[in-house]
Amino acid sequence: MPLELSHEINLDSPEIYAFLESADSVYAEPIDQAYWLSLGMTFAAQRTPAPGDKMLTILYTGLRRRYHLLKRHDGGGYTLETVLDVILPVSHPVSLNVEAILLIKDSELSPSERTTVIDAFNNFTPGQDPFEYIADQIARTGISSDKFWVASRGILRREGAAQLVSDEAEALERLYQSENGYRLQIVPPDQPVGRFTQPDKGRHHVSDIDDDNKLKEIINEIISEQNTLDCPLDPSPVSKRIATILQWPEFMVEWRLTSVKIGCVVVKLHLPVLRTRTTKLALFVFVHKVDGWDRYLFEAIVDCAWRSAAIGAVTGLILLNFAAGVAAFRGAFETCITNKFYSLIPCLFPNLVVLQESSAWADV
């Protein structure tokens, strides 16, 4: 039967994003005229969907907001410290319905047959069974079903004003409003970026705030990059969370496949779902344990004790003045321990790291 009752619409396309960021109120899927011409068919008529045959949804685009982080001088004035970019989601309420398109083989129809097909197309009453209607029309007119085709195309209409979801930007601005010595300056204008995507957080990001193994991996990666002394490393650094520097909501769009019947047509499409999570900037202090630290420490203590006790000045004093000899031993021992462990101190890699901690994603 020459009728398309199942139609797939791609809402995640550059054309859709261009429409959402434009001033246009309606977007119609383009007709692939080259394809239909290759079949000998041309556009003949179209039918506007009934007002009630629509699905309401929300689509999202991204907006880049750029900031200059300025640092104040002691003598007054500011210098540019860094540039910050935040990608914010913009919600667009829209409706989706389906328009019927009539294509006919002009070269194989007489003018009267062409008129008959177009009239039959225009006279269809919504609610009728389309297959029964076409079969009746074919039987009545005698026009073969291979002379025409009823295709479908999606129509998007705006159903309200776009709304900026600015929670993440507001959290950043609040931080620097209260920060002495710094000022955050918006660099206009905000730039539309089309598809909204969550920026890559990079390696220093803990996706689960309870993921201790991930934290250790990140710290060990930092230490490995700094280990130019070929220090013996233990796989378990000692770390402590000091403070939360900043907390803000993050957003992402997840596309989910669904099917919905609009009028006579079952439409297959991926719908965007806005999701959010809470992310924190957390400050950690860490120090790395040296491999075999306990054994190394014990052997070093014994060695220094033996060396310090064996110094001639110590043994000589012990024979003359025991208290003075003990004092000399302790001084020599402390010097030995300091010298022995001085070369080991760099291998502790005392450092600070700022990590991003995030909760699980949840639908808005």
Side-chain angles (χ1 to χ4, degrees):
M1 191 64 69
L3 177 63
E4 181 188 12
L5 288 183
S6 179
H7 185 66
E8 187 169 342
I9 297 176
N10 180 18
L11 296 177
D12 185 19
S13 70
E15 295 79 12
I16 296 293
Y17 295 124
F19 158 68
L20 294 174
E21 293 176 344
S22 73
D24 298 339
S25 59
V26 179
Y27 170 81
E29 275 190 295
I31 300 172
D32 189 351
Q33 295 190 18
Y35 169 76
W36 291 110
L37 283 172
S38 70
L39 300 178
M41 290 191 170
T42 57
F43 172 80
Q46 67 191 65
R47 283 186 59 130
T48 302
D53 289 339
K54 64 181 180 181
M55 179 191 71
L56 298 176
T57 189
I58 295 177
L59 301 181
Y60 298 92
T61 58
L63 192 72
R64 176 184 289 110
R65 177 166 293 176
R66 174 158 291 181
Y67 296 92
H68 282 171
L69 180 60
L70 306 175
K71 185 177 182 180
R72 188 171 60 217
H73 294 299
D74 293 338
Y78 287 86
T79 56
L80 178 63
E81 187 77 2
T82 189
V83 177
L84 305 173
D85 280 347
V86 180
I87 307 298
L88 305 173
V90 181
S91 63
H92 303 263
V94 297
S95 64
L96 172 65
N97 47 27
V98 178
E99 183 177 72
I101 302 294
L102 175 64
L103 299 126
I104 61 174
K105 288 188 176 180
D106 263 336
S107 62
E108 300 181 17
L109 292 174
S110 66
S112 62
E113 288 176 325
R114 185 180 192 279
T115 301
T116 298
V117 173
I118 294 174
D119 287 345
F121 173 77
N122 289 329
N123 291 332
F124 174 75
T125 302
Q128 291 181 270
D129 185 306
F131 292 109
E132 290 182 3
Y133 180 79
I134 291 176
D136 290 343
Q137 295 300 314
I138 290 174
R140 183 180 65 82
T141 63
I143 298 174
S144 173
S145 63
D146 65 351
K147 299 297 189 288
F148 65 93
W149 180 263
V150 179
S152 301
R153 69 170 174 179
I155 305 292
L156 283 179
R157 287 183 172 83
R158 295 189 187 275
E159 295 290 340
Q163 297 289 330
L164 177 67
V165 183
S166 59
D167 304 53
E168 186 171 346
E170 291 170 0
L172 185 66
E173 291 166 10
R174 282 195 300 271
L175 171 72
Y176 285 103
Q177 282 175 356
S178 59
E179 197 73 13
N180 293 329
Y182 289 91
R183 182 161 63 90
L184 202 61
Q185 183 181 70
I186 296 178
V187 182
D190 294 343
Q191 296 290 334
V193 296
R195 192 178 198 266
F196 173 73
T197 55
Q198 181 66 28
D200 180 17
K201 295 304 173 188
R203 61 173 188 171
H204 293 174
H205 179 262
V206 184
S207 59
D208 184 339
I209 58 176
D210 297 321
D211 190 351
D212 290 335
N213 289 330
K214 179 65 174 178
L215 175 60
K216 290 178 181 177
E217 287 177 12
I218 292 173
I219 292 175
N220 280 329
E221 188 175 346
I222 297 171
I223 291 174
S224 296
E225 292 176 354
Q226 299 174 353
N227 187 15
T228 58
L229 303 177
D230 197 24
C231 299
L233 299 180
D234 187 281
S236 300
V238 179
S239 63
K240 184 175 179 60
R241 193 181 193 283
I242 303 300
T244 295
I245 303 173
L246 176 63
Q247 176 175 310
W248 73 94
E250 286 186 312
F251 296 90
M252 70 170 290
V253 169
E254 181 178 286
W255 293 87
R256 297 176 184 172
L257 180 63
T258 188
S259 296
V260 60
K261 189 172 184 180
I262 303 176
C264 300
V265 181
V266 175
V267 178
K268 297 178 182 178
L269 71 169
H270 286 83
L271 289 178
V273 177
L274 189 65
R275 311 197 79 199
T276 187
R277 69 181 179 185
T278 299
T279 293
K280 303 173 183 178
L281 279 184
L283 178 65
F284 286 80
V285 61
F286 66 86
V287 62
H288 207 279
K289 294 191 297 184
V290 177
D291 189 24
W293 172 270
D294 294 339
R295 175 186 54 80
Y296 189 91
L297 179 61
F298 177 75
E299 291 177 356
I301 291 172
V302 171
D303 182 68
C304 280
W306 182 85
R307 289 175 181 275
S308 300
I311 294 175
V314 172
T315 54
L317 281 172
I318 288 293
L319 296 175
L320 300 174
N321 185 325
F322 184 78
V326 170
F329 165 76
R330 285 178 175 171
F333 178 79
E334 289 177 4
T335 300
C336 176
I337 287 291
T338 300
N339 292 335
K340 186 174 288 289
F341 282 96
Y342 181 79
S343 61
L344 194 61
I345 289 174
C347 290
L348 299 179
F349 299 103
N351 209 337
L352 298 173
V353 62
V354 175
L355 302 180
Q356 291 188 355
E357 301 175 328
S358 295
S359 62
W361 289 106
D363 294 356
V364 174

